[in-house]
Amino acid sequence: MAEIDPKRATDANGGLVYDDDVIRDILRDVKTIAMVGASDNWNRPSYFAMKYLQQKGYKVYPVNPKVAGAGGEILGEKAYADLSELPETVDMVDVFRNSAAAGPISDAAIEHGAKVVWMQLGVRNDEAADRAEAAGLTVIMDRCPKIEFSRLFGELGWHGFNSRVVSSKRRMPGRSDKVSKQSDVGDGFIPKGFETMAVHSGASPDPATGARGTPIYQTTAYVFDDADHAASLFNLQTFGNIYSRLSNPTVAVLEERIAALEGGRGTTCTSSGHAAQMLALFALMSPGDRFVASRRLYGGSITQFGRTFQKFDWHCDFVDAEDLDAVRAAAMQDKCKAIFAESLANPGGVITDIAALSRIAKDAGVPLIIDNTMATPYLCRPFEHGADLIVHSTTKFLSGHGNAMGGAVVDSGTFDWSQNDKFPSLSQPEPAYHGLTFYETFGDLAFTTYGHAVGLRDLGPTMAPMNAYLTITGIETLALRMERHVANAQTVAEWLEAHDKVAWVSYAGLEGNKYKQLAERYLPKGAGSVFTFGVKGGYEAGMAVVERCRLLSHLANIGDTRSLILHPASTTHRQLTEEQRTAAGAGDDVIRLSIGLETAEDIIADLERALG
């Protein structure tokens, strides 16, 4: 493969960046396509793509010397040995061959007179692209026209993926012969602001009724157009809905919105945060495998990782995430498949050095998974610091009102699942889909597609559409809520620090806190609203404080509009040993607060009464 051309626009990970308008115009203008490398094998990616493009109205000529030599056809079209044999000059040459082969194919496209050379997912040849562009052709590399068409032209059933565009127009599924420059079908606004994405991403007016609010699709299953459409959906050859265990249009809006806010490629929503953790690891782990996790985690996660997952023969090595040598030693084990930490640890408010863990993960060839529940994407964006996967309990701040359970797994789309043999579920043929290889077929959508097509299908931890609807509504005010959460938390933490009944306060927003510098780096808008403090008198005094509160609610949740209080040692971390509780920041004297949106003076007055 040719060396990367520094003149081409790339993202932080070296991936090519194209203007959506350029790709949209190509897909509008092109009518005829020569697919070089088209396969007559129904479960190959090129077959998927050709069939999909035919369904969208394109005339596709398959170029396959072997099939042509036998006088064969692919999807009803005569196969040709090379471009010179085509009966007409095509608008676009779609390269379904490797990067080296893309060179002579691009040169042949120039000679043929094509207007566009499009190299498929994983195919990039900068030298060939330079020659084609010098000859006046437009070149797109490392993209799939099937995926781009679906993304840009409002394909129904585009579940889980970040289209990066929003639209206030009805977005009906397009066809190339019905989409023109005079029509705004498929046009979208590309938002840049967090607040804009929180309100609009993933949602557009209902195409049938024009309803502006996201409908609750309370249905179990979806009607197929015909037998061929049904087969294509079950074969993953086209996008759409089959059964609400796998995908649901209401949930899809939430999935895209979370992916947009995190800057990810796609999201799989689940029934809870614990389900999200299970689903994230399900694609990575096999019996006997290990993963590394910070010791400073929510108590339920420690139990799930350390005990329940052992029943799957998955094994967790808990380490101090601040001891980078210990993290590296554990991550370099042959069977290690991931590193897991919380961006802002529950309950102690410890801030993780994400970039440092990312460097270790890259050296080990494994993904870094960051639980961003406590920080939310408003305060922290782990992908920008090197994380590969993000998990959320959407039950907390994203929903924000204590009324909807849920979880989410977000994929950055930047991890190379084929770089080694560690991840066969994604890089090797999947028997349940007739040998389809997810990473080869779906590229940077592979992890999210696997999460829906295998994870949700077989494990079944599906988010209910009503919970998705409530969470969508909650996210619309996420930025406003987080500003108030943080401001109130700072005020309460400073007041507690000066109280004579309080031994210590662990809030990274306070001057002198050991995590203050990391907070400024990773959470520049504030250190969250969940933190702990130590009450003088230990275990009994801690339980007495929570019982005396009249405004703060004593319950096991965080991220609510209401302020919440908990004594972890007697509740969420009760199942752990004393040593584990101490390591997790949940010792006998620890009180956890989740500061809500009430008037700060009222929160302080209730704590004053409880401490007194």
Side-chain angles (χ1 to χ4, degrees):
M1 179 171 148
E3 292 185 2
I4 293 177
D5 187 341
K7 300 189 296 295
R8 290 198 162 80
T10 58
D11 58 25
N13 297 292
L16 289 165
V17 176
Y18 294 104
D19 190 308
D20 281 347
D21 286 338
V22 172
I23 295 178
R24 186 184 288 111
D25 285 346
I26 290 172
L27 295 174
R28 279 177 168 152
D29 295 341
V30 162
K31 304 302 177 188
T32 55
I33 301 171
M35 184 172 288
V36 181
S39 174
D40 59 350
N41 186 340
W42 70 269
N43 67 342
R44 297 297 299 154
S46 59
Y47 189 97
F48 289 16
M50 180 175 170
K51 184 174 183 179
Y52 181 88
L53 293 172
Q54 286 179 323
Q55 292 170 343
K56 297 307 171 187
Y58 296 98
K59 176 72 172 179
V60 185
Y61 294 102
V63 178
N64 183 315
K66 183 178 179 181
V67 178
E73 295 183 346
I74 300 176
L75 288 166
E77 292 287 348
K78 176 184 175 181
Y80 297 88
D82 55 52
L83 295 178
S84 66
E85 296 184 1
L86 296 179
E88 65 173 316
T89 300
V90 298
D91 298 322
M92 184 172 90
V93 174
D94 187 8
V95 182
F96 249 109
R97 299 286 301 281
N98 62 35
S99 298
I105 294 171
S106 296
D107 294 337
I110 297 171
E111 185 176 350
H112 175 75
K115 300 173 185 176
V116 179
V117 170
W118 190 305
M119 302 183 198
Q120 279 288 342
L121 287 172
V123 182
R124 178 171 179 176
N125 188 317
D126 287 87
E127 293 176 356
D130 288 340
R131 294 194 298 271
E133 289 171 344
L137 281 71
T138 302
V139 179
I140 302 293
M141 297 188 286
D142 193 23
R143 292 289 189 278
C144 176
K146 167 188 171 182
I147 291 173
E148 295 304 305
F149 188 102
S150 182
R151 179 175 72 86
L152 293 171
F153 293 106
E155 180 74 65
L156 294 179
W158 180 251
H159 46 270
F161 307 124
N162 183 6
S163 71
R164 299 193 299 274
V165 298
V166 300
S167 177
S168 62
K169 308 293 185 183
R170 300 191 196 193
R171 304 189 72 203
M172 303 294 289
R175 284 181 59 90
S176 65
D177 56 355
K178 294 184 179 178
V179 177
S180 69
K181 291 183 180 297
Q182 285 70 46
S183 168
D184 60 7
V185 174
D187 280 343
F189 180 83
I190 302 175
K192 295 182 180 179
F194 185 95
E195 292 82 358
T196 304
M197 290 187 286
V199 173
H200 290 282
S201 288
S204 58
D206 180 65
T209 66
R212 194 61 187 90
T214 299
I216 302 170
Y217 287 90
Q218 196 66 46
T219 183
T220 57
Y222 308 84
V223 173
F224 307 125
D225 295 340
D226 50 39
D228 185 63
H229 178 230
S232 295
L233 287 169
F234 276 94
N235 290 335
L236 302 183
Q237 292 172 325
T238 192
F239 302 108
N241 296 299
I242 298 173
Y243 194 66
S244 279
R245 187 174 74 244
L246 285 76
S247 64
N248 174 279
T250 310
V251 179
V253 171
L254 175 60
E255 289 172 330
E256 180 169 350
R257 186 161 299 179
I258 294 172
L261 294 179
E262 287 287 12
R265 193 67 175 97
T267 297
T268 306
C269 279
T270 62
S271 56
S272 69
H274 263 31
Q277 292 174 170
M278 178 179 66
L279 206 71
L281 290 165
F282 179 67
L284 314 179
M285 305 286 286
S286 297
D289 284 344
R290 314 188 72 84
F291 67 102
V292 182
S294 169
R295 292 189 306 187
R296 295 184 177 92
L297 298 177
Y298 164 57
S301 296
I302 293 174
T303 302
Q304 184 190 46
F305 292 177
R307 296 188 181 277
T308 304
F309 282 171
Q310 287 186 358
K311 295 184 177 182
F312 301 159
D313 199 16
W314 300 352
H315 305 279
C316 181
D317 297 306
F318 291 103
V319 298
D320 181 352
E322 296 177 17
D323 184 348
L324 298 182
D325 290 337
V327 175
R328 181 175 294 276
M332 291 300 176
Q333 298 177 87
D334 289 340
K335 288 285 190 177
C336 179
K337 298 298 178 68
I339 299 175
F340 186 102
E342 295 177 359
S343 55
L344 182 59
N346 178 9
V350 173
I351 296 175
T352 297
D353 190 343
I354 299 171
L357 294 186
S358 174
R359 289 190 290 271
I360 296 173
K362 284 178 170 55
D363 290 344
V366 301
L368 172 62
I369 306 173
I370 294 294
D371 182 335
N372 203 32
T373 298
M374 292 248 291
T376 80
Y378 182 74
L379 298 180
C380 180
R381 301 252 292 183
F383 289 151
E384 295 176 358
H385 303 286
D388 300 293
L389 301 170
I390 293 172
V391 297
H392 278 281
S393 170
T394 63
T395 311
K396 311 303 191 297
F397 290 99
L398 295 185
S399 173
H401 295 78
N403 58 9
M405 296 288 292
V409 186
V410 193
D411 177 29
S412 65
T414 59
F415 192 86
D416 182 358
W417 301 107
S418 64
Q419 64 180 284
N420 49 46
D421 60 359
K422 285 179 176 284
F423 308 104
S425 293
L426 298 168
S427 64
Q428 295 181 17
E430 170 57 51
Y433 285 102
H434 306 283
L436 174 149
T437 300
F438 277 86
Y439 191 57
E440 176 190 39
T441 304
F442 300 106
D444 59 2
L445 304 178
F447 189 90
T448 300
T449 304
Y450 185 91
H452 285 80
V454 179
L456 292 180
R457 181 197 67 185
D458 293 343
L459 300 178
T462 306
M463 176 180 278
M466 183 64 187
N467 284 345
Y469 172 80
L470 292 170
T471 306
I472 290 165
T473 304
I475 286 178
E476 291 181 358
T477 59
L478 178 63
L480 295 172
R481 288 187 288 107
M482 292 309 294
E483 288 178 1
R484 183 60 175 267
H485 277 302
V486 168
N488 276 356
Q490 184 74 32
T491 299
V492 173
E494 291 173 356
W495 177 81
L496 284 169
E497 192 175 39
H499 200 284
D500 59 3
K501 297 290 182 66
V502 175
W504 52 267
V505 179
S506 178
Y507 183 63
L510 294 174
E511 292 298 329
N513 184 278
K514 65 178 292 187
Y515 299 105
K516 176 71 171 173
Q517 189 172 358
L518 284 176
E520 292 171 352
R521 178 180 181 186
Y522 292 113
L523 291 88
K525 295 179 182 177
S529 71
V530 178
F531 64 92
T532 56
F533 69 93
V535 61
K536 294 178 181 179
Y539 191 92
E540 296 299 328
M543 289 197 297
V545 167
V546 300
E547 289 176 353
R548 292 188 188 123
C549 287
R550 294 296 177 267
L551 176 67
L552 277 67
S553 300
H554 181 202
L555 54 83
N557 191 27
I558 57 173
D560 200 334
T561 54
R562 293 161 282 271
S563 290
L564 314 174
I565 190 168
L566 194 73
H567 182 234
S570 61
T571 53
T572 57
H573 290 63
R574 187 181 185 90
Q575 71 275 26
L576 306 182
T577 65
E578 183 176 350
E579 181 182 4
Q580 287 176 317
R581 288 202 305 269
T582 301
D588 288 349
D589 63 337
V590 174
I591 301 294
R592 184 186 74 184
L593 296 176
S594 175
I595 300 299
L597 307 182
E598 304 95 340
T599 305
E601 288 78 4
D602 289 334
I603 300 171
I604 289 172
D606 196 40
L607 288 171
E608 174 71 77
R609 181 181 185 282
L611 287 166

